């Protein structure tokens, strides 16, 4: 719920502006007050009348509206809000934000405040991929601006790829995660998820059967409790959760680099099924068949990300949680694994094919810590995630 929260919504000039009308409705349903601001370009896509009718208040458009300057100046407008949401966040609006320009009402409001800001980018895939946009996004993130989306998909311009604005309910989830008063508010948590792909050559790779479902559910559950979640995911089937910062990687080496870049965090949850080995000398060109001769692959060991973080001398997260996917002697192996890697907890599960856990919707886990083990009943992966997230919240509260 967002009751008594005040959101200043800046609607930029993109085709996704129509979704922002639904966003206003969804926010108001949850008890939030929405003050809408329409940029000049935004006004080309949706009318001020629809925006103000849905928001139930007048829409702000002009920087130099002297009547409003007299009773409620633009500075007051953004400072009285609990959160500024920019949706659609166009490439141009984000470029202005990154540079600190203030040449219209929206950019002035964004510069004249220290209220938290959430941007839902929306643009053509090539604009999104452009180094200038990526540079601006990195600057905004470094400035503490939260980003939701964009999603991959068909675009209004006929192209396909990342750039589609997040759906209204995904934006609502990101807003709730940022503003909710959950027990993990103010905590930064890292989650790794999904499989890794280890390249053999440009077209082949070694993978595993992880769907990423458990990691996704954990990311969502932690965000729902108010945590700021950095979600580092390999190429998973499950789409990443809403309201988290998503970092997509392919290989174990990329996952390690993304994890190191996300530190420091209060807790690290390592749910990814990381490949233990990579092909030692990945071929730069496609390996061809050679008259019945079989290729030989040499392997090299990947760094153990969980062990590396668990054994950090300085800046170790207060809580490090690993997973143990076992097929035999689950408790014995998982207990030994916890000690060997040096993490605080291990969530152990039996991934023998007859359990249907790997790739399925349920999980049957045992939580192992230094003080003993808890056997949880078989339940959905979402329920496991919620229970684990609550336990993490209790643990971090105790650590404070
Ligand atoms: N893990 C990791 N980096 C690796 C390998 C594993 O971070 N290179 C993490 C996983 O995310 C998981 C835990 O270590 O949290 C255990 O993974 P698992 O595959 O069960 O253990 P292994 O170390 O691979 O041991 P084994 O395969 O011998 O059972």
């Amino acid at each position: 719920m967002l009751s008594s929260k005040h959101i200043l919504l800046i609607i930029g000039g993109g085709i996704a502006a129509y979704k922002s009308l639904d966003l206003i409705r969804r926010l108001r349903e949850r008890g939030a007050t929405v003050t809408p601001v329409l940029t000049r370009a935004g006004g080309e896509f949706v009318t001020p009348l629809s925006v103000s009718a849905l928001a139930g208040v007048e829409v702000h458009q002009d920087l130099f509206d002297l009547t409003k300057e007299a009773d409620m100046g633009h500075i007051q407008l953004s400072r009285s809000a609990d959160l500024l949401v920019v949706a659609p966040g166009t490439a141009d609006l984000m470029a202005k934000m990154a540079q600190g320009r203030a040449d219209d009402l929206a950019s002035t409001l964004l510069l004249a405040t220290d209220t938290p800001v959430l941007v839902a980018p929306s643009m053509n895939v090539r604009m999104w991929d452009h180094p200038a946009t990526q540079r601006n996004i990195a600057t905004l993130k470094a400035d503490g601006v939260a980003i939701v989306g964009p999603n991959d998909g068909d675009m209004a311009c006929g192209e396909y790829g990342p750039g589609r604005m997040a759906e209204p309910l995904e934006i609502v989830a990101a807003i709730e995660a940022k503003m909710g008063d959950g027990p993990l508010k103010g905590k930064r948590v890292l989650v790794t998820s999904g499989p890794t792909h280890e390249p053999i050559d440009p077209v082949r790779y070694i993978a595993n059967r992880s769907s990423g479902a458990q990691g996704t559910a954990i990311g969502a559950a932690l965000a729902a409790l108010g945590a700021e979640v950095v979600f580092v995911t390999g190429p998973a089937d499950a789409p990443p959760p809403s309201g988290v910062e998503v970092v997509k990687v392919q290989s174990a080496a990329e996952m390690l680099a993304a994890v190191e870049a996300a530190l420091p965090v209060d807790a690290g949850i390592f749910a990814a099924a990381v490949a233990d080995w990579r092909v030692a000398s990945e071929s730069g060109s496609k390996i061809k068949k050679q008259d019945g001769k079989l290729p030989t692959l040499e392997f090299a060991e990947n760094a153990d990300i969980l062990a590396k973080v668990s054994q950090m001398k300085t800046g170790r997260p207060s809580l490090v949680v690993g997973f143990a996917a076992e097929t035999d002697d689950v408790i014995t192996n998982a207990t030994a694994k916890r000690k060997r890697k040096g993490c605080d907890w291990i969530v152990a599960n039996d991934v023998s094919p007859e359990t249907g856990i790997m790739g399925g919707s349920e999980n049957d886990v045992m939580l192992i810590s230094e003080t003993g083990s808890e056997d949880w009943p078989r339940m959905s992966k979402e329920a496991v995630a919620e229970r684990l997230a609550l336990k993490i919240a209790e643990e971090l509260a105790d650590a404070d």
Side-chain angles (χ1 to χ4, degrees), residues 7 135 160 184 196 234 389:
I7 290 161
R135 230 175 12 246
Y160 181 91
L184 286 171
T196 62

Side-chain angles (χ1 to χ4, degrees), residues 90-336:
T90 59
D92 178 55
L93 207 40
M94 289 195 295
K96 280 187 188 174
M97 288 171 72
Q99 286 175 22
R101 281 173 55 197
D103 59 2
D104 62 3
L105 180 59
S107 52
T108 306
L109 291 173
L110 286 157
L111 193 63
T113 186
D114 56 4
T115 304
V117 180
L118 172 76
V119 179
S122 167
M123 67 199 70
N124 166 273
V125 56
R126 285 184 216 284
M127 287 170 90
W128 172 255
D129 283 339
H130 197 284
T133 303
Q134 290 304 315
R135 230 175 12 246
N136 291 334
I137 290 278
T139 304
L140 292 177
K141 282 187 182 167
D143 289 347
V145 171
I147 310 281
V148 53
N151 295 338
D152 285 5
D154 288 323
M155 317 202 73
C157 52
E159 292 187 65
Y160 181 91
R164 248 165 82 126
M165 187 170 89
E167 296 304 316
L169 284 180
E170 291 173 325
I171 302 175
V172 168
I175 293 172
E176 283 180 331
K178 215 165 160 54
M179 303 184 73
D181 293 322
L184 286 171
K185 190 175 165 63
K187 301 290 181 200
R188 184 174 157 85
V189 182
L190 163 78
V191 178
T192 68
S193 181
T196 62
H197 285 182
E198 306 300 324
I200 298 171
D201 66 19
V203 296
R204 303 182 179 96
Y205 56 82
I206 294 171
N208 61 63
R209 295 187 195 282
S210 165
S211 64
Q214 187 63 82
T216 295
I218 292 170
L222 291 164
L225 295 187
E228 177 194 344
V229 177
V230 185
F231 189 77
V232 178
T233 177
D237 300 337
S242 309
V244 305
E245 181 186 335
V246 180
V247 185
K248 290 187 179 171
V249 298
Q250 295 284 328
S251 64
E254 285 174 19
M255 187 170 276
L256 173 63
V259 163
E260 286 176 337
L263 298 174
V265 293
D266 295 290
I269 321 301
F270 294 84
V274 186
D276 290 322
W277 308 285
R278 66 180 179 281
V279 176
S281 46
E282 174 194 346
S283 169
S285 49
K286 188 181 168 200
I287 302 171
K288 304 295 277 180
K289 268 193 292 198
Q290 284 174 2
D291 300 333
K293 265 206 296 181
L294 297 177
T296 310
L297 294 179
E298 293 239 351
F299 288 93
E301 197 163 322
N302 281 328
D304 189 318
I305 308 169
L306 170 65
K308 242 180 142 76
V309 174
S310 298
Q311 292 163 24
M312 281 169 66
K313 294 277 179 289
T314 48
R316 180 190 191 274
S318 310
L319 180 67
V320 180
V321 182
F323 277 68
E326 306 290 344
T327 51
D328 309 285
D329 301 326
V330 177
I331 304 188
T332 317
N333 282 335
T335 305

